């Protein structure tokens, strides 16, 4: 079913995204009246399609051509001179001498006890510059990269499954073996592999056997494995291997990317990586005589739209799941161009809200029609199926940008080392949601139960069960003035410790004024964020702010897996069986005043918000419905 792409009375939604070419990390339209009426249950969408540039004709089918896919940037830090010293560099770990200087490598080394460092050592991708030099005829480089590769083969006999680093990197190492084989032929200017390299083809066949028997499933690992297996079949002219691989790809695309364009990775960065990966799949299949069919192209087109709408006003993807801060890069002539250039090139999209069954809401005030692109406000809200693959415990969590900067952020991606930092970054406590201390290990399904879209406001209601707690979040997003109103409610038979968390960027300094207000700003900036805690059905409690705490971990932001910054978290707390926490997030210019008054209208509370001289009236019903009245 196509994504539920929502339309205001004056706008429709069209998507744009960007392609990330890096390491592995390298619609339907719905009319909803507003007019002061109560929001209805989230309706079923109707189908509509967005105009797109024509699809280019397929490249001519060729035979037995498999292009070396390069080395995902890992080779950049490993020049040929370092290979002669058996020195390996990855991430923030200093260059490490991993061998005896003659290509004899200690494959069990892991000086930082980092699983990623270890896996990329075993991937052999760090040999890339040496392999490229060998392909150009550098015989010394060919000797060294061949020696190191042959040493891996001798020291890691089939099957290497008991060593997780060797196991996880099989698909990557397979491609390096193919690249090396191609370098031998071109560097030595021969048409057939010399007998002295017979070990290389034997190693490829062992890798093919391993990839056949140890398929990771229908996600990016499995896709990479299938492409590597297909590469062996193409290189060694084994039609049986090509068929196994192409059959897996034909099946996997239907799971990896759904009909609405959502991937099953639960990560924005991995979604973008999958866009590139499946583009490569089309190219690989065509160049070696296989028909990729039409499904991959169709699903990638929907994923492009998904990524476009996810792009925030800063030109980044929100950090959802295992995602570093990733920019949306433009792809000329596609729906990706406008968002990727911050509105400088391409055709401006018209659709601005998207709801996806996989558990994503992406919205924005506009695409730069009446104000600069970067001055629009954008947001994401998570719901949907339980956590899997690269997902986090981020259900009901919100990210928000406005006035040219991040307002609400995610805790980020702490890497893959299984330590307390990764546990925190994945947990509910690293996200902007109502947290419950007793349910730290819960992984709920979360339902979007109601939604309504107007010209200047959007309303969403989400429900789940977090451990023994029934949890509901109601969100009202406003335009002119741009702000968010969020009502969190929790209910349990036992007493609980509830906290609504608001994670702020690392450059923010927070000042608390009483139980109802915290103000955050970067010193000297022209923008501030006011966070209000307004009493609703309960009295408020003192606001807490936590920054850079290590026991327990709280108040951090990972911009990359290697860069962790102390970042303030504002906490609105309750203790008891029930919680009712009403928050307002208002980004304004620094000198603006933000104030409010409340009154009752029957069972409904009326909130009069005055933001920088503009008064807005919000209705908060007893059932949690949030509505813009004025």
């Amino acid at each position: 079913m196509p994504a539920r792409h929502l339309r205001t009375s004056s706008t429709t939604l069209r998507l744009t995204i960007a392609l990330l070419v890096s390491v592995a990390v390298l619609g339907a339209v719905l009319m909803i009246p507003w007019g002061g009426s109560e929001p209805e249950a989230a309706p079923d969408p109707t189908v509509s399609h967005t105009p797109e540039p024509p699809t280019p004709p397929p490249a001519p089918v060729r035979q037995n051509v498999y292009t070396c896919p390069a080395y995902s940037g890992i080779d950049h830090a490993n020049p040929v001179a370092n290979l002669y010293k058996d020195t390996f560099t990855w991430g923030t770990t200093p260059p490490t001498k991993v061998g005896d200087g003659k290509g004899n490598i200690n494959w069990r080394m892991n000086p930082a006890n980092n699983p990623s460092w270890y896996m990329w050592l075993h991937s052999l991708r760090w040999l890339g510059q040496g392999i490229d030099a060998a392909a150009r005829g550098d015989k010394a480089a060919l000797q060294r990269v061949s020696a190191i590769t042959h040493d891996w083969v001798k020291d890691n006999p089939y099957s290497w499954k008991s060593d997780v680093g060797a196991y996880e990197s099989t698909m990557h190492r397979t491609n390096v073996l193919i690249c090396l084989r191609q370098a031998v032929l071109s560097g030595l200017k021969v048409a057939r592999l010399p007998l002295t390299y017979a070990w290389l083809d034997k190693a490829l066949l062992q890798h093919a056997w391993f990839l056949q028997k140890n398929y990771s499933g229908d996600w990016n690992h499995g896709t990479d494995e299938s492409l590597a297996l297909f590469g062996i079949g193409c290189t060694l002219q084994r039609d049986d291997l090509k068929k196994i691989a192409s059959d897996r790809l034909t099946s996997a695309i239907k799971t990896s990317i759904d009909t609405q364009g959502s991937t099953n990775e639960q990560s924005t960065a991995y979604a973008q990586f999958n866009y590139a990966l499946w583009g490569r799949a089309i190219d690989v299949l065509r160049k070696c005589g296989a028909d990729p069919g039409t499904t991959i192209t169709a699903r990638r087109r929907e994923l492009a739209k998904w990524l476009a709408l996810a792009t925030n006003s800063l030109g980044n993807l929100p950090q959802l799941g295992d995602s570093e801060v990733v920019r949306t890069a433009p792809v000329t002539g596609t729906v990706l161009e406008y968002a990727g250039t911050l509105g400088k090139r391409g055709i401006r999209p018209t659709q601005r809200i998207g709801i996806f069954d996989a558990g994503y809401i992406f919205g924005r005030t506009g695409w730069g029609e009446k104000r600069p692109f970067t001055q629009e406000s954008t947001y994401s809200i998570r719901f949907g199926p339980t956590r899997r693959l690269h997902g986090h415990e981020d259900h009901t969590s919100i990210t928000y940008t406005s006035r040219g900067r991040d307002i609400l952020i995610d805790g980020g991606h702490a890497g893959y080392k299984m330590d307390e930092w990764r546990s925190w970054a994945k947990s509910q406590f690293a996200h902007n949601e109502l947290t419950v201390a007793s349910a730290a290990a819960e992984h709920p399904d979360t339902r979007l139960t109601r939604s309504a879209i107007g010209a200047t406001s959007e309303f969403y209601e989400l429900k789940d069960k977090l451990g023994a707690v029934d949890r509901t979040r109601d969100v009202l997003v406003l335009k002119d003035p741009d702000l968010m109103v969020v009502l969190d409610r929790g209910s349990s038979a036992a007493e609980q410790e509830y906290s609504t968390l608001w994670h702020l960027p690392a450059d923010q300094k927070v000042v608390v004024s009483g139980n109802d207000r915290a103000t955050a700003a970067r010193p000297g900036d022209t923008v501030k964020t006011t966070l209000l805690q307004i009493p609703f059905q309960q009295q408020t409690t003192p606001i807490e702010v936590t920054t850079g705490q290590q026991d327990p971990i709280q108040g951090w932001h990972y911009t990359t897996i290697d860069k962790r910054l102390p970042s303030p978290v504002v906490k609105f707390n309750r203790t008891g069986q029930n919680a009712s926490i009403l928050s307002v997030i208002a980004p304004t210019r620094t000198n603006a005043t933000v104030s409010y008054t409340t009154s009752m209208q029957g069972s409904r509370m009326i909130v009069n918000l005055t933001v920088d001289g503009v008064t807005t009236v919000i209705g908060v019903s007893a059932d949690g419905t949030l509505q813009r009245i004025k």
Side-chain angles (χ1 to χ4, degrees):
M1 181 172 61
R4 286 175 279 172
H5 290 174
L6 300 172
R7 176 193 291 181
T8 70
S9 57
S10 61
T11 55
T12 49
L13 188 125
R14 185 175 166 213
L15 305 179
T16 203
I17 111 171
L19 170 62
L20 173 67
V21 255
S22 67
V23 66
V25 151
L26 183 115
V29 176
L30 176 65
M31 293 296 295
I32 301 179
W34 189 252
S37 62
E38 292 288 326
E40 301 293 334
D44 292 330
T46 54
V47 176
S48 175
H49 293 287
T50 303
E52 291 194 1
T55 301
V61 172
R62 301 168 68 181
Q63 295 291 331
N64 303 321
V65 175
Y66 182 79
T67 303
C68 170
Y71 311 99
S72 300
I74 294 172
D75 55 320
H76 293 168
N78 293 277
V80 178
N82 282 15
L83 303 186
Y84 291 134
K85 303 172 187 176
D86 292 343
T87 297
F88 169 59
T89 303
W90 184 84
T92 58
T93 303
T96 303
K97 187 175 177 62
V98 294
D100 63 358
K102 300 178 181 179
N104 181 24
I105 308 300
N106 179 359
W107 298 105
R108 306 285 83 80
M109 284 189 69
N110 190 359
N113 194 28
N114 186 325
S116 294
W117 186 96
Y118 188 75
M119 186 196 75
W120 293 121
L121 174 72
H122 280 260
S123 76
L124 302 183
R125 281 183 165 181
W126 52 288
L127 303 181
Q129 290 197 42
I131 293 174
D132 287 346
R136 296 190 297 267
D138 187 329
K139 292 185 178 180
L142 177 61
Q143 189 280 328
R144 177 45 56 103
V145 295
S146 298
I148 293 174
T149 304
H150 198 189
D151 186 69
W152 189 94
V153 171
K154 290 184 294 183
D155 290 357
N156 298 273
Y158 184 89
S159 164
W160 45 86
K161 190 174 180 179
S162 60
D163 186 330
V164 67
Y167 175 17
E168 286 289 327
S169 60
T170 296
M171 54 192 172
H172 307 301
R173 187 173 54 254
T174 297
N175 279 311
V176 175
L177 295 176
I178 294 173
C179 294
L180 175 59
R181 190 183 194 278
Q182 294 173 355
V184 171
L185 298 178
S186 60
L188 298 180
K189 296 181 173 59
V190 295
R192 285 189 168 188
L193 197 68
L195 288 177
T196 53
Y197 282 93
W199 61 269
L200 188 50
D201 277 358
K202 181 180 178 181
L204 280 171
L205 289 173
Q206 288 179 333
H207 280 62
W209 185 253
F210 188 94
L211 292 168
Q212 289 179 78
K213 299 298 181 181
N214 297 280
Y215 179 55
S216 294
D218 298 344
W219 58 307
N220 77 80
H221 276 215
T223 306
D224 258 328
E225 289 166 354
S226 297
L227 291 173
L229 179 60
F230 188 90
I232 298 173
C234 186
T235 298
L236 302 183
Q237 301 185 36
R238 288 281 302 269
D239 289 343
D240 57 329
L241 300 181
K242 289 168 56 179
K243 185 177 188 312
I244 292 169
S246 60
D247 285 350
R248 283 180 179 174
L249 290 168
T250 299
S251 175
I253 184 60
K254 299 173 185 177
T255 302
S256 181
I257 307 172
D258 70 19
T259 57
Q260 296 178 327
S262 300
T263 72
N264 61 345
E265 308 266 355
Q266 297 186 345
S267 157
T268 46
Y270 275 94
Q272 190 156 241
F273 174 66
N274 270 278
Y275 183 81
L277 184 61
W278 282 102
R280 180 171 173 259
I282 293 173
D283 184 65
V284 164
L285 292 170
R286 283 177 175 162
K287 284 184 175 179
C288 201
D291 181 5
T294 60
T295 303
I296 298 176
T297 298
R299 297 290 173 96
R300 287 184 76 237
R301 183 181 299 117
E302 296 307 311
L303 174 55
K305 297 175 183 179
W306 187 99
L307 284 162
L309 193 55
T311 302
N312 67 28
S313 58
L314 310 180
N316 300 326
L317 294 173
Q319 285 185 271
L320 305 182
D322 286 340
S323 299
E324 298 182 334
V325 176
V326 174
R327 290 199 64 79
T328 298
V331 179
T332 302
T334 74
V335 294
L336 318 176
E337 188 173 8
Y338 190 86
T341 61
L342 301 176
K344 294 181 177 67
R345 297 197 311 273
I347 299 173
R348 175 186 293 149
T350 54
Q351 294 179 309
R352 66 179 187 90
I353 309 293
I355 303 175
F356 299 86
D357 291 342
Y360 301 89
I361 301 170
F362 299 123
R364 62 201 316 120
T365 53
W367 288 98
E369 296 92 338
K370 296 182 179 180
R371 46 176 145 166
F373 184 101
T374 58
Q375 294 301 305
E376 300 283 6
S377 296
T378 58
Y379 63 90
S380 71
I381 307 175
R382 280 284 283 126
F383 67 101
T386 186
R387 184 188 66 78
R388 68 188 303 264
L389 296 176
H390 290 287
H392 288 184
E393 301 305 328
D394 58 1
H395 282 188
T396 76
S397 185
I398 297 167
T399 67
Y400 192 33
T401 69
S402 188
R403 293 181 170 268
R405 64 164 298 119
D406 282 310
I407 302 299
L408 299 175
I409 63 170
D410 185 274
H413 178 22
Y416 299 105
K417 187 176 181 179
M418 301 306 292
D419 59 11
E420 66 276 13
W421 292 101
R422 177 160 175 79
S423 295
W424 171 79
K426 291 171 60 179
S427 77
Q428 56 178 306
F429 305 106
H431 304 95
N432 299 308
E433 58 183 293
L434 175 65
T435 64
V436 182
S438 67
E442 297 298 323
H443 314 302
D445 293 303
T446 304
R447 295 172 294 128
L448 174 65
T449 51
R450 293 189 292 166
S451 65
I453 308 302
T456 61
S457 63
E458 295 96 61
F459 169 76
Y460 310 101
E461 179 183 75
L462 305 103
K463 291 180 178 287
D464 60 24
K465 191 173 185 65
L466 193 60
V469 175
D470 291 316
R471 189 173 65 157
T472 301
R473 167 163 277 191
D474 298 280
V475 182
L476 183 66
V477 188
L478 270 61
K479 175 182 179 180
D480 298 326
D482 294 5
L483 56 85
M484 283 189 169
V485 183
V486 181
L487 175 61
D488 288 314
R489 290 170 290 159
S491 177
S492 175
E495 186 171 283
Q496 303 288 344
E497 295 178 15
Y498 300 95
S499 293
T500 291
L501 305 182
W502 299 117
H503 293 257
L504 307 176
D507 61 359
Q508 301 287 278
K509 304 298 181 184
V510 181
V511 176
V512 175
S513 304
N515 284 4
D516 70 340
R517 180 185 306 260
T519 304
R522 184 185 69 197
D525 201 358
T526 59
V527 178
K528 70 177 180 181
T529 301
T530 300
L531 302 97
L532 300 178
Q533 180 184 205
I534 300 177
F536 177 68
Q537 298 180 344
Q538 284 182 338
Q539 292 299 310
T540 59
T541 62
I543 296 173
E544 294 183 25
V545 179
T546 301
T547 304
Q549 179 178 286
Q550 297 196 33
D551 187 19
I553 295 173
Q554 187 54 281
W556 299 90
H557 179 213
Y558 279 89
T559 56
T560 71
I561 62 173
D562 297 320
K563 187 175 182 180
R564 180 178 70 222
L565 301 172
S567 301
V569 179
V570 175
K571 300 181 180 182
F572 299 160
N573 303 316
R574 301 288 188 274
T575 300
Q577 291 178 301
N578 302 309
S580 178
I581 303 174
L582 181 61
S583 306
V584 174
I585 312 297
T588 65
R589 62 189 182 91
T590 304
N591 295 330
T593 59
V594 178
S595 62
Y596 72 94
T597 62
T598 63
S599 61
M600 296 303 297
Q601 188 182 76
S603 62
R604 182 165 70 164
M605 186 172 83
I606 303 299
V607 181
N608 290 278
L609 279 170
T610 301
V611 179
D612 202 5
V614 178
T615 298
T616 301
V617 181
I618 307 297
V620 187
S621 299
D623 67 352
T625 300
L626 303 175
Q627 185 179 9
R628 182 173 192 168
I629 299 172
K630 175 185 175 182

